Amino acid sequence: ETGVTQTPRHLVMGMTNKKSLKCEQHLGHNAMYWYKQSAKKPLELMFVYNFKEQTENNSVPSRFSPECPNSSHLFLHLHTLQPEDSALYLCASSQGAMAARISLTGELFFGEGSRLTVL
Amino acid sequence: EDKVVQSPLSLVVHEGDTVTLNCSYEVTNFRSLLWYKQEKKAPTFLFMLTSSGIEKKSGRLSSILDKKELFSILNITATQTGDSAVYLCAARRNTPLVFGKGTRLSVIA
């Protein structure tokens, strides 16, 4: 139990479907992240939210739409995905993404991930 | 472009062996280097290194950072099958982390 919970753990969807991934953290952190992990590639940062404000969007296609209603919850809405979007999507949280541009801690706490398969 | 390069990409050893995993980085505004272990899904934190030349240890694992040569190593002594995992290295700028591809370590009995 890492304190970061992701659902669903597995998701299979067609290219025309709309689905959402959910992440919840119970650690009292202020920052939350979405990472994509594809085979044989480094973890790729997708989005960062700090105190519910999106602070980073790493050129992610608009078919991925994040939502952060509060500091404990993060969603990734999926729409008209492509087969190459199949990957493990990892959510993470940390104490504070930016405080005057200086991070308070280096440690990210990851969830177990949501394995997405797009047919 | 910021990048983190890990080597080797995969490694197979026998129980009891000692292994060294390498991580080199080129990151602007570098602040610290982190090591994670990923067994099945969630990467779990191992070490954060900020200063050069100071070894961090946790049981059979140890790590050190060289900020002049821009690399870090992770050592595992007396390896066990439970050490089999992907080991991720990440460099922190202000935020967020830049990850390497990882080293897949397989320890066989």
Side-chain angles (χ1 to χ4, degrees), chain A residues 9-10 33 35 37 40 42-43 45 48 56 88 90 97-98 101 103 105-108 110-112, chain B residues 4 31-32 34 36 38 40-45 48 88 92-101:
Chain A
R9 297 289 298 275
H10 299 272
Y33 310 74
Y35 278 89
Q37 190 172 37
K40 300 184 180 178
L43 275 167
L45 177 71
V48 181
E56 192 137 349
L88 180 68
L90 288 163
M98 281 181 271
R101 286 275 169 180
S103 59
T105 177
E107 184 176 352
L108 289 181
F110 285 89
E112 295 283 308
Chain B
V4 174
R31 294 194 177 275
S32 56
L34 293 86
Y36 285 82
Q38 186 175 22
K40 291 179 182 176
K41 295 285 180 70
T44 53
F45 175 76
M48 182 170 73
L88 298 169
R92 174 175 281 282
R93 304 164 293 188
N94 288 335
T95 188
L97 299 174
V98 179
F99 281 88
K101 290 184 180 182

Side-chain angles (χ1 to χ4, degrees), chain A residues 40-58:
Chain A
K40 300 184 180 178
K41 282 188 176 181
L43 275 167
E44 300 170 62
L45 177 71
M46 299 176 73
F47 302 104
V48 181
Y49 277 82
N50 183 43
F51 289 92
K52 301 188 299 176
E53 298 294 323
Q54 188 180 131
T55 56
E56 192 137 349
N57 175 342
N58 250 20

